[in-house]
Amino acid sequence: MNKRVEAAERAVYAAAELMTEVGLTRVLADLVREVWGANLERYEPHDRGDTTKSLGFQCSENIRELAARRIQGGDLAAPEDHWNISGLQLATPRGVLTLHLPGLEIVLMKVPYAHGRSPIWEQFPSWETSSHIRDDIAKDNARVLGGSSAGPSSRARPRANSNSPRTPRSGSSAG
């Protein structure tokens, strides 16, 4: 097997293990389930003109906002809803929910509707022209894993000023 692929697989499994160990996998799954259920109940394409795009956007917005409340605490989230995961921080560059754990950055993005429940990675648009976030992730991963990105475009070049110099970033889907 290709050494880059093996390194990427090890990094993904280590990230998943860390997320599960600290409880992030569980709270994210609970949040996605909660938001999806509530938004699906109020989804009314015939009466209100809702579309699958509006449903996905609403879910994405709700997940980002509720995650921020539950991570940061405060009056907008009940104390029992606070996640209290040691070292967990949140950022929302360009409106994209980005979670940080020591040594790991998790970027949550919605999978296109046409892909169903499993992303079809080969059909994603070019990482370099579609999204600055995806391009940044590809460049970070290329630098960390020592070669070209595993995404559709292999023209990504390492970034000079990375926030986490030795940790690959993972993209997740929600909604």
Side-chain angles (χ1 to χ4, degrees), residues 94 96 109 125-136:
R94 294 183 218 98
V96 176
M109 299 188 303
S126 168
W127 285 49
E128 291 181 350
T129 59
S130 175
S131 166
H132 294 292
I133 295 291
R134 288 187 201 150
D135 188 41
D136 289 348

Side-chain angles (χ1 to χ4, degrees), residues 34-49:
E34 172 190 335
V35 166
W36 176 251
N39 287 336
L40 198 56
E41 278 185 34
R42 64 182 180 203
Y43 178 69
E44 296 181 21
H46 300 295
D47 296 335
R48 301 224 187 314

Side-chain angles (χ1 to χ4, degrees), residues 15 29 52 69 114 133 146 163 171 174:
T52 54
R69 293 175 187 183
I133 295 291
N163 293 335

Side-chain angles (χ1 to χ4, degrees), residues 161-173:
N161 296 321
S162 173
N163 293 335
S164 56
R166 297 187 38 89
T167 305
R169 301 195 304 180
S170 61
S172 299
S173 65

